[in-house]
Amino acid sequence: MSPATSATPSSATSSATPVEVAGGAGAAAGTSAQTPRRPLARGLRSLTAAGVLACSLNGLAAYGVVSTDAARVQSVATAQATELGEVTTAIDSLGATARSTPVGGPGEEAYLTTVSTTSSRLASVTARAATGPAGLADDTEQLTALSADYTRYVALLESGRAANGTVAAERYRQGETIRTTRLDPTLAQLRAQNTDRSSEARTLAWVTMGGLGLTSLITLITLLGGSRWLASRTKRVVNPGLFGALVTSGAVSGYAFSQLGSATVVTPGAGPLLLVGGFAAAGLVWLGLDQRLKEYR
C-alpha cells in the first residue's frame, strides 16, 4: 500500500470544516438555553391553573356566604325564639295577676306595665320578622293575628277586673279560652319554627364561613407564593396580574366576611357581584401569567 493511500483515512477523520464546528456549537448553545425555559414554562402553566381555580372558588364561596345569609338568619331566629318565650311567660301569668289585682288596687301598676311590655315585645317580634332575612317574613301573618288575639285577651281581663261575681268569672273564662286555644299554641309553634331555623342556619353558617376561610387562605398562599416564585425566576418583583388578583380577591373575601356580623339586610345583587369579582380575579391571574408564558415558550 502506498503512503498516499494510507494517509487518506486519518486525514478524513481528523479534518472538519469551520461551518460544521460552528453548527455544532450553535446547536449545543440552543439546547442549553432551552433547558431552563421548559421547567419555567411548566411552572407558569401550573401556577396559572392554580391561581384561576383558587380565585374562582373564592368568589363562589363568598357568593355562598352572602346569598344564604346564614349567620344573620341564625342571629335573628335566635332572638325571635328568645323573645317569644318571654312573651309566653308573661301572658301565662297575666290571668292570675288580673284576678288578684282589682282596679285601682295594689300591684296594678306592675300589672299594667307587664301588659304594655308584652304588647311592645309582640310588636318588636313582628317588625323583626317583616324586615328580617328571607324565610322569617313567613311568620308575619301569624304574628299579626297573635297581636290581635292578645289585644282581645287583655280586653277580657280588664273587663273581668272591672266587674264582679259571675260577670267577672265569665270574662276571665273567655280570656283563658283565648289564651289556651289561640295564644299559647301559636306562640309554641312560632318558637319551634325559629328554634329550628336557628339550628339549621348555625350549621349552614359554619359550612359557608369555613368554606370562605379556606378558599381565602388558599388564594392568599397561591397568589403570594406564586408572586415570590415568579420574581425569583424572572427577576421581576411585581406581576401586575397577580397583584390585581390579590387585591380583588381580598376585596371579595373582606366584603363577604363583613356581612357575617351585620344586622342590616344584604345589599341586593351583592352575591352575584362577588361571584363576578372572583372570576375577574381569575382573569387577572390568567392575563398576567399568560404574558410571561409567551416570553418563555
Side-chain angles (χ1 to χ4, degrees):
M1 180 179 294
S2 66
T5 303
S6 62
T8 301
S10 61
S11 61
T13 304
S14 61
S15 63
T17 65
V19 175
E20 291 173 338
V21 173
T31 303
S32 61
Q34 289 176 1
T35 301
R37 287 174 177 265
R38 291 174 181 172
L40 181 57
R42 285 196 298 269
L44 283 170
R45 291 190 186 95
S46 298
L47 179 58
T48 301
V52 168
L53 180 61
C55 291
S56 299
L57 290 177
N58 192 57
L60 185 61
Y63 171 81
V65 168
V66 173
S67 61
T68 59
D69 204 11
R72 186 164 172 262
V73 171
Q74 178 195 351
S75 175
V76 175
T78 300
Q80 292 287 84
T82 300
E83 195 154 13
L84 286 168
E86 294 172 352
V87 168
T88 301
T89 301
I91 288 177
D92 287 346
S93 67
L94 280 180
T97 305
R99 287 186 178 86
S100 61
T101 308
V103 176
E108 184 178 42
E109 183 177 353
Y111 164 77
L112 295 177
T113 299
T114 301
V115 170
S116 176
T117 300
T118 302
S119 179
S120 298
R121 282 177 171 165
L122 279 174
S124 173
V125 170
T126 303
R128 191 183 295 123
T131 60
L136 273 76
D138 297 341
D139 296 347
T140 305
E141 185 176 346
Q142 283 181 287
L143 287 167
T144 302
L146 183 67
S147 296
D149 288 336
Y150 175 73
T151 301
R152 290 173 54 206
Y153 175 63
V154 171
L156 287 169
L157 293 182
E158 288 300 292
S159 178
R161 290 177 63 230
N164 294 306
T166 57
V167 174
E170 178 62 17
R171 296 294 184 272
Y172 288 137
R173 186 192 66 77
Q174 292 174 353
E176 283 301 294
T177 299
I178 291 176
R179 182 182 70 82
T180 57
T181 61
R182 297 185 64 85
L183 292 176
D184 283 352
T186 303
L187 285 167
Q189 180 183 358
L190 288 169
R191 285 184 66 193
Q193 289 175 183
N194 282 280
T195 299
D196 291 342
R197 285 193 189 109
S198 177
S199 178
E200 293 170 0
R202 183 183 299 110
T203 301
L204 185 57
W206 276 109
V207 172
T208 55
M209 285 189 293
L212 179 59
L214 181 61
T215 58
S216 297
L217 180 61
I218 291 174
T219 302
L220 179 65
I221 292 174
T222 301
L223 296 181
L224 285 180
S227 297
R228 183 174 180 180
W229 173 84
L230 190 60
S232 67
R233 296 297 188 279
T234 64
K235 309 305 180 185
R236 298 178 183 179
V237 178
V238 177
N239 180 276
L242 291 180
F243 179 77
L246 184 62
V247 172
T248 304
S249 295
V252 168
S253 296
Y255 180 85
F257 277 120
S258 71
Q259 296 302 304
L260 296 178
S262 176
T264 59
V265 178
V266 176
T267 305
L273 185 61
L274 293 178
L275 186 59
V276 170
F279 290 147
L284 288 172
V285 170
W286 185 85
L287 289 173
L289 295 180
D290 184 65
Q291 184 63 34
R292 293 290 170 265
L293 185 58
K294 290 176 181 177
E295 299 175 3
Y296 293 97
R297 281 174 180 167

